[in-house]
Amino acid sequence: MTDDSFAGERNTGALTADQPGAGGLRAGRRGHMSFVRAHLREYGLLIALVAIMLFFQIATDGILLRPINLTNLILQNSYIVIMALGMLLVIVAGHIDLSVGSVLGFIGALAAVMIVNYDINYWLTAAICIAVGGMIGAAQGFWVAYFRIPSFIVTLAGLLVFKGLTLWLLAGQSVGPFPPGFQLLSSGFVPDLLGGTDLNLLALVLGLALAFLVIVLSVRSRRNAGDDTDEPYALFAAKIGLAALAIVYLSYLMATFRGFPNVLIVMALLISVYMFVTNRTTLGRRIYALGGNEKAAKLSGINTERLTFLTFVNMGMLAALAGLVFAARLNTATPKAGAGFELDVIAAVFIGGASMAGGVGTVVGVVIGAFIMGVMNNGMSILGIGIDYQQVIKGLVLLAAVIFDVLNKQKAA
Amino acid sequence: MTGKLLEMRGITKTFPGVRALDDVSLSVAEGEIHALVGENGAGKSTLMKVLSGVYPHGSYEGQILVDGAEQRFRGIRDSEAAGIAIIHQELALVPTLSIAENLFLGHERARGGVIDRTRTREEATRLLARVGLRENPGTRVGSLGLGKQQLVEIAKALAKKVRLLILDEPTSSLNERDSEALLDLLEDLKRKGVASILISHKLNEIARVADRITVLRDGASVSTIEAGGAPVSEDRIIRDMVGRALTDRYPPRTPRIGKVLMEVRDWTVAHPTDPDRLAVDGVSFDVRAGEVLGIAGLMGAGRTELAMSLFGRAWGKKTSGTVRIEGREADTSTVRRAVEAGLAYVTEDRKQYGLVLDETIRRNVPLANLAGISSGGVLDEARELSVAREYRDKLRIKCSSVAQEAVNLSGGNQQKVVLSKWLFADPKVLILDEPTRGIDVGAKYEIYAIIAELAAQGRAVVVISSEMPELLGITDRIHVMNEGRFVAEMPVADASQERIMAAILRSGQSASARVRTPAPAA
């Protein structure tokens, strides 16, 4: 494997040298700034997140990045990120799912009724809940994929149906609290197996390992990209270096508090799995092709119906997982849980650079998009900005991000 | 000699880094049909965009004069006011609106914002009569065929009191009969004082109707040929277009025909929306290894329907019949199974059905054979890259790198990407549907060479084409299809355009007699 990619690399050099016009050489001459300008989208998103974090860090007198707040921020955002991963696939496939907030609430209610009212084992409950989430996704995806009913309408119906079912299931009451074991899903922390005292050593070691992994994987994928990338090496190195530093720093901050929350591990695992699926598997490639041009994908032998169906099943399962996380965090299931979450999730995906038309969007973009929303929520709350203004500001940021995208694309064309 | 309607003098238009037009001049006399030819990228469209105001005055150098007075168009509205209307290749009609509504879109016949239905209907009827379209003005445009839609476009231009009509490849998606009707209409309009600029790749049409022909090459006007009724030599036009004499329009080939690769028997397909109608009716044929088989026919003969239904029932309903590949019955019930059975279909509409336009070449090439660049569902990026480069080099795809998006390639290079996609799937039988549509002369030759190479590799190639010279030039054997049936078969040595047309007309006589000519008195 390693030998193979190495040969590929040498090959790259030879071919590029043969062709004076090839991308790599030209980029070298054009310089770094013009490259950044050409790829404003990718850098812009990261720069925006950093800028927003810096702004709130200063505006809140350093509260934003206090270990306890940082942990809080991750917990608050976890269910949005989890759902945004599923939403990304749905949107890339050219659809939308408006029902995820209601499904989240419904699954939370189901879990509460099963665990609290019927005293069913919470592991079993979690498994059943995720299966039910998958079935909900299947029920909606079935109409979208095989009968071509517009997903907007099917899932709008789903939004209403599951909102109603949540109310019915809870009989309009809040149900709780959950047993401590279940709460750990959201409020638990990974115990320090390395026996640190003031500092959670495990979190620090995991952070370092993750940073190292990011560097290794990035270098490898850059090598494989060949003339796909004309990113100057210095920029590439700076980008990866900064990302690694940020990971280590944030891990350190959390290590000084209670270490990594359980949810962070769940989230990190999901993010890596979905990055892998979207970038490196035929399944992911097919979803992008389906969203980019369904007819061409179909005529290339891709089973577009089944693929569409599966993106909805996947979305339902992730919404269910998010429902469990959210219920565990609140330690109660309420009839209003999840109301409006679909909007935050969809906004995160679009801020992250996905296209309404389908075929475009990345996991990294979506995660950054979700954290841009999350940091703004958190920062504005600390500053005591009212929910009224918060909504206005979030709406404008979404609009600005998409306008920026569209203008950027028009300029390129 | 009538006066000059339009004169474009010394037009130069540059884009960052590219000089698209270099001192181009063009003049059109009143009531003239002026053909504009050139390879793709020669600057035809840019010149027409300058003329129609898409590129406003100031963004180019040079002068535009209409009736001897200089014009400074700031947009399409200005050029339309001067009597110039452009009809693009992609029609600008709203399929969900009626003919009449389309005709007056943006210039509604209305009083104070309220549409005057009577006037709209009367004027629409008059306009439709002028272009010879017998349709109810209330008919939805989406329900019309392409040929009729084109006529609606022209009628729409006439509604704006047009004096100069610009048509960008108007017949590229029309069948022979509709093309003829369109050319007749241009001649008719010419007699009524409407001049036209005709952009076309079809030299026979140009030779038929053009009074003068301007050839563009690399952004410069190379020559203006006076046709004036005398026959123009196609070779002369081609020589001017490509800058070299094209002695062989088709690559030489010595066919080595082997055993039968695919046998189709009694293939019958019902129309999807009208299940009583058979789009393909009992078609049987064989194609051999190393053979290039042509399928001739008019548009609507059922050729694409035949190909797509064979290819995993991608078209039609109630398909019946058998396909044998290499002697064994093949399961072609889904596209995937058809591909696995060794079949490939290169679509006639590469933008809609062939490519994921916003994706890179690299990602488009392996799409029909992702298994070939992955193991256990995990992609091997290094392999993907080397595959994309291999086909780029083999098929000579002109691109800055395989990371270039398909949307930014020229038609010929897009077609090569689609071909790469199917070659990488390593099919035994390839069906190519209009493989050179919308491709310039030079790139056509390259596509023909690829087809010859595929046959030489021992694959069977089926070429569907509406360009009869092309079929005669590159195939070994031709089936003629009409109204869903194979009506004649001839080895290419015995085939001629006349024989093919005769086969079509003779087979259609019984059917069309019922429709078009009143039955003779018994």
PDB file of all heavy atoms in Angstrom, chain B residues 35 37 171 176 179-180 183 198 200-210 213 231-235 237-238 249 444 466-469 497:
ATOM      1  N   ALA B  35     -24.186  32.729 -43.179  1.00  0.00           N
ATOM      2  CA  ALA B  35     -23.777  31.619 -42.312  1.00  0.00           C
ATOM      3  C   ALA B  35     -22.474  31.962 -41.613  1.00  0.00           C
ATOM      4  O   ALA B  35     -21.597  32.607 -42.188  1.00  0.00           O
ATOM      5  CB  ALA B  35     -23.608  30.348 -43.125  1.00  0.00           C
ATOM      6  N   VAL B  37     -19.522  30.046 -39.607  1.00  0.00           N
ATOM      7  CA  VAL B  37     -19.013  28.717 -39.244  1.00  0.00           C
ATOM      8  C   VAL B  37     -17.644  28.831 -38.600  1.00  0.00           C
ATOM      9  O   VAL B  37     -16.959  29.844 -38.727  1.00  0.00           O
ATOM     10  CB  VAL B  37     -18.934  27.774 -40.471  1.00  0.00           C
ATOM     11  CG1 VAL B  37     -20.286  27.539 -41.065  1.00  0.00           C
ATOM     12  CG2 VAL B  37     -17.951  28.303 -41.493  1.00  0.00           C
ATOM     13  N   THR B 171     -30.561  23.577 -35.849  1.00  0.00           N
ATOM     14  CA  THR B 171     -31.022  22.250 -36.260  1.00  0.00           C
ATOM     15  C   THR B 171     -30.283  21.120 -35.556  1.00  0.00           C
ATOM     16  O   THR B 171     -30.492  19.964 -35.867  1.00  0.00           O
ATOM     17  CB  THR B 171     -30.847  22.059 -37.781  1.00  0.00           C
ATOM     18  OG1 THR B 171     -29.464  22.177 -38.088  1.00  0.00           O
ATOM     19  CG2 THR B 171     -31.632  23.074 -38.557  1.00  0.00           C
ATOM     20  N   GLU B 176     -34.392  15.434 -39.688  1.00  0.00           N
ATOM     21  CA  GLU B 176     -34.228  15.902 -41.063  1.00  0.00           C
ATOM     22  C   GLU B 176     -35.422  16.731 -41.521  1.00  0.00           C
ATOM     23  O   GLU B 176     -35.276  17.818 -42.065  1.00  0.00           O
ATOM     24  CB  GLU B 176     -34.042  14.690 -41.968  1.00  0.00           C
ATOM     25  CG  GLU B 176     -33.270  14.985 -43.210  1.00  0.00           C
ATOM     26  CD  GLU B 176     -31.824  14.491 -43.088  1.00  0.00           C
ATOM     27  OE1 GLU B 176     -31.385  14.156 -41.971  1.00  0.00           O
ATOM     28  OE2 GLU B 176     -31.159  14.440 -44.107  1.00  0.00           O
ATOM     29  N   SER B 179     -35.667  20.013 -39.735  1.00  0.00           N
ATOM     30  CA  SER B 179     -34.575  20.876 -40.178  1.00  0.00           C
ATOM     31  C   SER B 179     -34.927  21.508 -41.512  1.00  0.00           C
ATOM     32  O   SER B 179     -34.758  22.712 -41.717  1.00  0.00           O
ATOM     33  CB  SER B 179     -33.283  20.072 -40.337  1.00  0.00           C
ATOM     34  OG  SER B 179     -32.920  19.486 -39.133  1.00  0.00           O
ATOM     35  N   GLU B 180     -35.421  20.678 -42.426  1.00  0.00           N
ATOM     36  CA  GLU B 180     -35.822  21.181 -43.736  1.00  0.00           C
ATOM     37  C   GLU B 180     -36.842  22.296 -43.587  1.00  0.00           C
ATOM     38  O   GLU B 180     -36.727  23.354 -44.200  1.00  0.00           O
ATOM     39  CB  GLU B 180     -36.445  20.048 -44.565  1.00  0.00           C
ATOM     40  CG  GLU B 180     -35.438  19.053 -45.103  1.00  0.00           C
ATOM     41  CD  GLU B 180     -34.527  19.690 -46.133  1.00  0.00           C
ATOM     42  OE1 GLU B 180     -35.043  20.353 -47.052  1.00  0.00           O
ATOM     43  OE2 GLU B 180     -33.294  19.546 -45.994  1.00  0.00           O
ATOM     44  N   LEU B 183     -35.253  25.480 -42.418  1.00  0.00           N
ATOM     45  CA  LEU B 183     -34.487  26.167 -43.461  1.00  0.00           C
ATOM     46  C   LEU B 183     -35.422  26.826 -44.467  1.00  0.00           C
ATOM     47  O   LEU B 183     -35.182  27.950 -44.922  1.00  0.00           O
ATOM     48  CB  LEU B 183     -33.549  25.178 -44.156  1.00  0.00           C
ATOM     49  CG  LEU B 183     -32.477  24.569 -43.240  1.00  0.00           C
ATOM     50  CD1 LEU B 183     -31.660  23.536 -43.988  1.00  0.00           C
ATOM     51  CD2 LEU B 183     -31.576  25.641 -42.661  1.00  0.00           C
ATOM     52  N   LEU B 198     -26.841  32.476 -39.454  1.00  0.00           N
ATOM     53  CA  LEU B 198     -27.043  31.069 -39.113  1.00  0.00           C
ATOM     54  C   LEU B 198     -25.711  30.473 -38.671  1.00  0.00           C
ATOM     55  O   LEU B 198     -24.769  30.415 -39.453  1.00  0.00           O
ATOM     56  CB  LEU B 198     -27.575  30.341 -40.355  1.00  0.00           C
ATOM     57  CG  LEU B 198     -27.737  28.832 -40.277  1.00  0.00           C
ATOM     58  CD1 LEU B 198     -28.804  28.456 -39.263  1.00  0.00           C
ATOM     59  CD2 LEU B 198     -28.090  28.271 -41.654  1.00  0.00           C
ATOM     60  N   SER B 200     -23.881  27.184 -37.681  1.00  0.00           N
ATOM     61  CA  SER B 200     -24.164  25.761 -37.833  1.00  0.00           C
ATOM     62  C   SER B 200     -22.894  24.971 -38.079  1.00  0.00           C
ATOM     63  O   SER B 200     -21.898  25.493 -38.589  1.00  0.00           O
ATOM     64  CB  SER B 200     -25.145  25.554 -38.985  1.00  0.00           C
ATOM     65  OG  SER B 200     -25.375  24.187 -39.181  1.00  0.00           O
ATOM     66  N   HIS B 201     -22.950  23.720 -37.669  1.00  0.00           N
ATOM     67  CA  HIS B 201     -21.863  22.797 -37.990  1.00  0.00           C
ATOM     68  C   HIS B 201     -22.215  21.951 -39.200  1.00  0.00           C
ATOM     69  O   HIS B 201     -21.412  21.145 -39.635  1.00  0.00           O
ATOM     70  CB  HIS B 201     -21.606  21.850 -36.808  1.00  0.00           C
ATOM     71  CG  HIS B 201     -20.868  22.494 -35.688  1.00  0.00           C
ATOM     72  ND1 HIS B 201     -19.671  23.108 -35.873  1.00  0.00           N
ATOM     73  CD2 HIS B 201     -21.151  22.611 -34.381  1.00  0.00           C
ATOM     74  CE1 HIS B 201     -19.249  23.584 -34.719  1.00  0.00           C
ATOM     75  NE2 HIS B 201     -20.140  23.305 -33.794  1.00  0.00           N
ATOM     76  N   LYS B 202     -23.459  22.098 -39.676  1.00  0.00           N
ATOM     77  CA  LYS B 202     -23.887  21.216 -40.757  1.00  0.00           C
ATOM     78  C   LYS B 202     -23.660  21.911 -42.096  1.00  0.00           C
ATOM     79  O   LYS B 202     -24.415  22.788 -42.493  1.00  0.00           O
ATOM     80  CB  LYS B 202     -25.358  20.851 -40.565  1.00  0.00           C
ATOM     81  CG  LYS B 202     -25.579  20.030 -39.309  1.00  0.00           C
ATOM     82  CD  LYS B 202     -26.980  19.497 -39.270  1.00  0.00           C
ATOM     83  CE  LYS B 202     -27.214  18.742 -37.972  1.00  0.00           C
ATOM     84  NZ  LYS B 202     -28.636  18.477 -37.757  1.00  0.00           N
ATOM     85  N   LEU B 203     -22.623  21.477 -42.760  1.00  0.00           N
ATOM     86  CA  LEU B 203     -22.200  22.172 -43.964  1.00  0.00           C
ATOM     87  C   LEU B 203     -23.216  22.043 -45.094  1.00  0.00           C
ATOM     88  O   LEU B 203     -23.388  22.967 -45.878  1.00  0.00           O
ATOM     89  CB  LEU B 203     -20.842  21.616 -44.408  1.00  0.00           C
ATOM     90  CG  LEU B 203     -19.751  21.778 -43.355  1.00  0.00           C
ATOM     91  CD1 LEU B 203     -18.430  21.261 -43.868  1.00  0.00           C
ATOM     92  CD2 LEU B 203     -19.612  23.238 -42.934  1.00  0.00           C
ATOM     93  N   ASN B 204     -23.910  20.912 -45.146  1.00  0.00           N
ATOM     94  CA  ASN B 204     -24.873  20.762 -46.244  1.00  0.00           C
ATOM     95  C   ASN B 204     -26.006  21.769 -46.125  1.00  0.00           C
ATOM     96  O   ASN B 204     -26.462  22.319 -47.121  1.00  0.00           O
ATOM     97  CB  ASN B 204     -25.404  19.329 -46.287  1.00  0.00           C
ATOM     98  CG  ASN B 204     -26.007  18.911 -44.972  1.00  0.00           C
ATOM     99  OD1 ASN B 204     -25.719  19.528 -43.934  1.00  0.00           O
ATOM    100  ND2 ASN B 204     -26.856  17.896 -44.989  1.00  0.00           N
ATOM    101  N   GLU B 205     -26.419  22.054 -44.888  1.00  0.00           N
ATOM    102  CA  GLU B 205     -27.477  23.051 -44.700  1.00  0.00           C
ATOM    103  C   GLU B 205     -27.001  24.428 -45.119  1.00  0.00           C
ATOM    104  O   GLU B 205     -27.704  25.195 -45.755  1.00  0.00           O
ATOM    105  CB  GLU B 205     -27.855  23.131 -43.218  1.00  0.00           C
ATOM    106  CG  GLU B 205     -28.551  21.900 -42.727  1.00  0.00           C
ATOM    107  CD  GLU B 205     -28.859  21.996 -41.251  1.00  0.00           C
ATOM    108  OE1 GLU B 205     -28.422  22.975 -40.614  1.00  0.00           O
ATOM    109  OE2 GLU B 205     -29.529  21.082 -40.754  1.00  0.00           O
ATOM    110  N   ILE B 206     -25.777  24.723 -44.719  1.00  0.00           N
ATOM    111  CA  ILE B 206     -25.224  26.029 -45.037  1.00  0.00           C
ATOM    112  C   ILE B 206     -25.142  26.196 -46.543  1.00  0.00           C
ATOM    113  O   ILE B 206     -25.546  27.210 -47.110  1.00  0.00           O
ATOM    114  CB  ILE B 206     -23.832  26.169 -44.392  1.00  0.00           C
ATOM    115  CG1 ILE B 206     -24.004  26.266 -42.884  1.00  0.00           C
ATOM    116  CG2 ILE B 206     -23.097  27.367 -44.941  1.00  0.00           C
ATOM    117  CD1 ILE B 206     -22.728  26.102 -42.133  1.00  0.00           C
ATOM    118  N   ALA B 207     -24.634  25.147 -47.174  1.00  0.00           N
ATOM    119  CA  ALA B 207     -24.507  25.221 -48.625  1.00  0.00           C
ATOM    120  C   ALA B 207     -25.876  25.432 -49.262  1.00  0.00           C
ATOM    121  O   ALA B 207     -25.995  26.065 -50.299  1.00  0.00           O
ATOM    122  CB  ALA B 207     -23.870  23.933 -49.149  1.00  0.00           C
ATOM    123  N   ARG B 208     -26.920  24.922 -48.611  1.00  0.00           N
ATOM    124  CA  ARG B 208     -28.252  25.029 -49.209  1.00  0.00           C
ATOM    125  C   ARG B 208     -28.821  26.429 -49.118  1.00  0.00           C
ATOM    126  O   ARG B 208     -29.346  26.959 -50.086  1.00  0.00           O
ATOM    127  CB  ARG B 208     -29.206  24.060 -48.496  1.00  0.00           C
ATOM    128  CG  ARG B 208     -30.373  23.676 -49.378  1.00  0.00           C
ATOM    129  CD  ARG B 208     -31.487  23.051 -48.592  1.00  0.00           C
ATOM    130  NE  ARG B 208     -32.583  23.995 -48.472  1.00  0.00           N
ATOM    131  CZ  ARG B 208     -33.676  23.746 -47.796  1.00  0.00           C
ATOM    132  NH1 ARG B 208     -33.826  22.620 -47.162  1.00  0.00           N
ATOM    133  NH2 ARG B 208     -34.636  24.649 -47.742  1.00  0.00           N
ATOM    134  N   VAL B 209     -28.710  27.074 -47.955  1.00  0.00           N
ATOM    135  CA  VAL B 209     -29.458  28.330 -47.794  1.00  0.00           C
ATOM    136  C   VAL B 209     -28.609  29.590 -47.747  1.00  0.00           C
ATOM    137  O   VAL B 209     -29.130  30.687 -47.934  1.00  0.00           O
ATOM    138  CB  VAL B 209     -30.326  28.297 -46.512  1.00  0.00           C
ATOM    139  CG1 VAL B 209     -31.369  27.215 -46.598  1.00  0.00           C
ATOM    140  CG2 VAL B 209     -29.472  28.152 -45.275  1.00  0.00           C
ATOM    141  N   ALA B 210     -27.307  29.470 -47.501  1.00  0.00           N
ATOM    142  CA  ALA B 210     -26.546  30.676 -47.216  1.00  0.00           C
ATOM    143  C   ALA B 210     -26.246  31.471 -48.480  1.00  0.00           C
ATOM    144  O   ALA B 210     -25.938  30.897 -49.517  1.00  0.00           O
ATOM    145  CB  ALA B 210     -25.253  30.311 -46.509  1.00  0.00           C
ATOM    146  N   ILE B 213     -20.926  33.117 -46.563  1.00  0.00           N
ATOM    147  CA  ILE B 213     -20.453  32.315 -45.442  1.00  0.00           C
ATOM    148  C   ILE B 213     -19.208  32.982 -44.876  1.00  0.00           C
ATOM    149  O   ILE B 213     -18.256  33.264 -45.614  1.00  0.00           O
ATOM    150  CB  ILE B 213     -20.095  30.878 -45.903  1.00  0.00           C
ATOM    151  CG1 ILE B 213     -21.323  30.214 -46.522  1.00  0.00           C
ATOM    152  CG2 ILE B 213     -19.560  30.062 -44.738  1.00  0.00           C
ATOM    153  CD1 ILE B 213     -20.981  29.063 -47.429  1.00  0.00           C
ATOM    154  N   PRO B 231     -23.064  26.379 -55.959  1.00  0.00           N
ATOM    155  CA  PRO B 231     -22.707  25.435 -54.900  1.00  0.00           C
ATOM    156  C   PRO B 231     -21.335  25.755 -54.312  1.00  0.00           C
ATOM    157  O   PRO B 231     -20.410  26.111 -55.033  1.00  0.00           O
ATOM    158  CB  PRO B 231     -22.711  24.080 -55.619  1.00  0.00           C
ATOM    159  CG  PRO B 231     -22.569  24.398 -57.064  1.00  0.00           C
ATOM    160  CD  PRO B 231     -23.166  25.748 -57.271  1.00  0.00           C
ATOM    161  N   VAL B 232     -21.259  25.685 -52.991  1.00  0.00           N
ATOM    162  CA  VAL B 232     -19.996  25.960 -52.328  1.00  0.00           C
ATOM    163  C   VAL B 232     -19.317  24.631 -52.025  1.00  0.00           C
ATOM    164  O   VAL B 232     -19.973  23.666 -51.654  1.00  0.00           O
ATOM    165  CB  VAL B 232     -20.243  26.687 -50.986  1.00  0.00           C
ATOM    166  CG1 VAL B 232     -18.960  27.266 -50.449  1.00  0.00           C
ATOM    167  CG2 VAL B 232     -21.293  27.750 -51.172  1.00  0.00           C
ATOM    168  N   SER B 233     -18.047  24.632 -52.156  1.00  0.00           N
ATOM    169  CA  SER B 233     -17.335  23.392 -51.872  1.00  0.00           C
ATOM    170  C   SER B 233     -17.183  23.212 -50.363  1.00  0.00           C
ATOM    171  O   SER B 233     -16.666  24.084 -49.676  1.00  0.00           O
ATOM    172  CB  SER B 233     -15.977  23.438 -52.561  1.00  0.00           C
ATOM    173  OG  SER B 233     -14.961  23.068 -51.676  1.00  0.00           O
ATOM    174  N   GLU B 234     -17.676  22.094 -49.879  1.00  0.00           N
ATOM    175  CA  GLU B 234     -17.578  21.834 -48.436  1.00  0.00           C
ATOM    176  C   GLU B 234     -16.127  21.749 -48.022  1.00  0.00           C
ATOM    177  O   GLU B 234     -15.756  22.178 -46.936  1.00  0.00           O
ATOM    178  CB  GLU B 234     -18.304  20.526 -48.097  1.00  0.00           C
ATOM    179  CG  GLU B 234     -19.801  20.621 -48.256  1.00  0.00           C
ATOM    180  CD  GLU B 234     -20.508  19.415 -47.648  1.00  0.00           C
ATOM    181  OE1 GLU B 234     -19.828  18.578 -47.044  1.00  0.00           O
ATOM    182  OE2 GLU B 234     -21.740  19.348 -47.783  1.00  0.00           O
ATOM    183  N   ASP B 235     -15.330  21.205 -48.900  1.00  0.00           N
ATOM    184  CA  ASP B 235     -13.911  21.064 -48.559  1.00  0.00           C
ATOM    185  C   ASP B 235     -13.263  22.423 -48.324  1.00  0.00           C
ATOM    186  O   ASP B 235     -12.438  22.592 -47.458  1.00  0.00           O
ATOM    187  CB  ASP B 235     -13.171  20.308 -49.661  1.00  0.00           C
ATOM    188  CG  ASP B 235     -13.565  18.839 -49.681  1.00  0.00           C
ATOM    189  OD1 ASP B 235     -14.100  18.383 -48.643  1.00  0.00           O
ATOM    190  OD2 ASP B 235     -13.353  18.174 -50.709  1.00  0.00           O
ATOM    191  N   ILE B 237     -14.724  25.097 -47.168  1.00  0.00           N
ATOM    192  CA  ILE B 237     -15.146  25.600 -45.859  1.00  0.00           C
ATOM    193  C   ILE B 237     -14.345  24.903 -44.768  1.00  0.00           C
ATOM    194  O   ILE B 237     -13.815  25.539 -43.850  1.00  0.00           O
ATOM    195  CB  ILE B 237     -16.659  25.364 -45.644  1.00  0.00           C
ATOM    196  CG1 ILE B 237     -17.458  26.097 -46.723  1.00  0.00           C
ATOM    197  CG2 ILE B 237     -17.078  25.836 -44.264  1.00  0.00           C
ATOM    198  CD1 ILE B 237     -18.949  25.832 -46.652  1.00  0.00           C
ATOM    199  N   ILE B 238     -14.241  23.596 -44.883  1.00  0.00           N
ATOM    200  CA  ILE B 238     -13.522  22.844 -43.850  1.00  0.00           C
ATOM    201  C   ILE B 238     -12.067  23.290 -43.792  1.00  0.00           C
ATOM    202  O   ILE B 238     -11.500  23.465 -42.716  1.00  0.00           O
ATOM    203  CB  ILE B 238     -13.626  21.328 -44.144  1.00  0.00           C
ATOM    204  CG1 ILE B 238     -15.073  20.885 -43.949  1.00  0.00           C
ATOM    205  CG2 ILE B 238     -12.693  20.539 -43.272  1.00  0.00           C
ATOM    206  CD1 ILE B 238     -15.327  19.481 -44.375  1.00  0.00           C
ATOM    207  N   ARG B 249     -11.836  12.787 -43.772  1.00  0.00           N
ATOM    208  CA  ARG B 249     -12.693  13.177 -42.662  1.00  0.00           C
ATOM    209  C   ARG B 249     -12.890  12.015 -41.713  1.00  0.00           C
ATOM    210  O   ARG B 249     -13.353  12.168 -40.605  1.00  0.00           O
ATOM    211  CB  ARG B 249     -14.032  13.667 -43.189  1.00  0.00           C
ATOM    212  CG  ARG B 249     -14.003  15.161 -43.472  1.00  0.00           C
ATOM    213  CD  ARG B 249     -15.394  15.714 -43.456  1.00  0.00           C
ATOM    214  NE  ARG B 249     -15.865  15.914 -44.823  1.00  0.00           N
ATOM    215  CZ  ARG B 249     -17.107  16.304 -45.096  1.00  0.00           C
ATOM    216  NH1 ARG B 249     -17.974  16.473 -44.130  1.00  0.00           N
ATOM    217  NH2 ARG B 249     -17.474  16.486 -46.335  1.00  0.00           N
ATOM    218  N   LYS B 444     -14.288  15.693 -33.910  1.00  0.00           N
ATOM    219  CA  LYS B 444     -15.039  14.572 -34.479  1.00  0.00           C
ATOM    220  C   LYS B 444     -14.073  13.509 -34.983  1.00  0.00           C
ATOM    221  O   LYS B 444     -14.252  12.324 -34.746  1.00  0.00           O
ATOM    222  CB  LYS B 444     -15.901  15.048 -35.653  1.00  0.00           C
ATOM    223  CG  LYS B 444     -17.252  15.567 -35.249  1.00  0.00           C
ATOM    224  CD  LYS B 444     -18.095  15.910 -36.452  1.00  0.00           C
ATOM    225  CE  LYS B 444     -19.425  16.455 -35.988  1.00  0.00           C
ATOM    226  NZ  LYS B 444     -20.291  16.847 -37.096  1.00  0.00           N
ATOM    227  N   SER B 466     -27.618  10.585 -36.615  1.00  0.00           N
ATOM    228  CA  SER B 466     -28.518  11.203 -37.579  1.00  0.00           C
ATOM    229  C   SER B 466     -27.739  11.784 -38.740  1.00  0.00           C
ATOM    230  O   SER B 466     -28.321  12.271 -39.697  1.00  0.00           O
ATOM    231  CB  SER B 466     -29.331  12.309 -36.915  1.00  0.00           C
ATOM    232  OG  SER B 466     -30.121  11.767 -35.888  1.00  0.00           O
ATOM    233  N   GLU B 467     -26.411  11.771 -38.608  1.00  0.00           N
ATOM    234  CA  GLU B 467     -25.593  12.289 -39.712  1.00  0.00           C
ATOM    235  C   GLU B 467     -25.207  11.124 -40.605  1.00  0.00           C
ATOM    236  O   GLU B 467     -24.330  10.332 -40.287  1.00  0.00           O
ATOM    237  CB  GLU B 467     -24.353  12.971 -39.155  1.00  0.00           C
ATOM    238  CG  GLU B 467     -24.675  14.299 -38.513  1.00  0.00           C
ATOM    239  CD  GLU B 467     -23.421  15.034 -38.090  1.00  0.00           C
ATOM    240  OE1 GLU B 467     -22.442  15.023 -38.857  1.00  0.00           O
ATOM    241  OE2 GLU B 467     -23.418  15.596 -36.990  1.00  0.00           O
ATOM    242  N   MET B 468     -25.865  11.053 -41.728  1.00  0.00           N
ATOM    243  CA  MET B 468     -25.646   9.888 -42.572  1.00  0.00           C
ATOM    244  C   MET B 468     -24.221   9.792 -43.106  1.00  0.00           C
ATOM    245  O   MET B 468     -23.661   8.695 -43.141  1.00  0.00           O
ATOM    246  CB  MET B 468     -26.670   9.872 -43.687  1.00  0.00           C
ATOM    247  CG  MET B 468     -28.023   9.415 -43.176  1.00  0.00           C
ATOM    248  SD  MET B 468     -29.158   9.132 -44.491  1.00  0.00           S
ATOM    249  CE  MET B 468     -29.957  10.718 -44.552  1.00  0.00           C
ATOM    250  N   PRO B 469     -23.592  10.915 -43.505  1.00  0.00           N
ATOM    251  CA  PRO B 469     -22.196  10.777 -43.982  1.00  0.00           C
ATOM    252  C   PRO B 469     -21.311  10.137 -42.931  1.00  0.00           C
ATOM    253  O   PRO B 469     -20.415   9.352 -43.256  1.00  0.00           O
ATOM    254  CB  PRO B 469     -21.783  12.223 -44.258  1.00  0.00           C
ATOM    255  CG  PRO B 469     -23.034  12.978 -44.442  1.00  0.00           C
ATOM    256  CD  PRO B 469     -24.061  12.294 -43.592  1.00  0.00           C
ATOM    257  N   GLN B 497     -26.561   7.687 -48.887  1.00  0.00           N
ATOM    258  CA  GLN B 497     -27.590   8.496 -48.235  1.00  0.00           C
ATOM    259  C   GLN B 497     -28.940   8.278 -48.914  1.00  0.00           C
ATOM    260  O   GLN B 497     -29.978   8.215 -48.256  1.00  0.00           O
ATOM    261  CB  GLN B 497     -27.213   9.976 -48.317  1.00  0.00           C
ATOM    262  CG  GLN B 497     -25.915  10.288 -47.629  1.00  0.00           C
ATOM    263  CD  GLN B 497     -25.827  11.755 -47.259  1.00  0.00           C
ATOM    264  OE1 GLN B 497     -26.818  12.380 -46.922  1.00  0.00           O
ATOM    265  NE2 GLN B 497     -24.630  12.304 -47.291  1.00  0.00           N
TER     266      GLN B 497
END
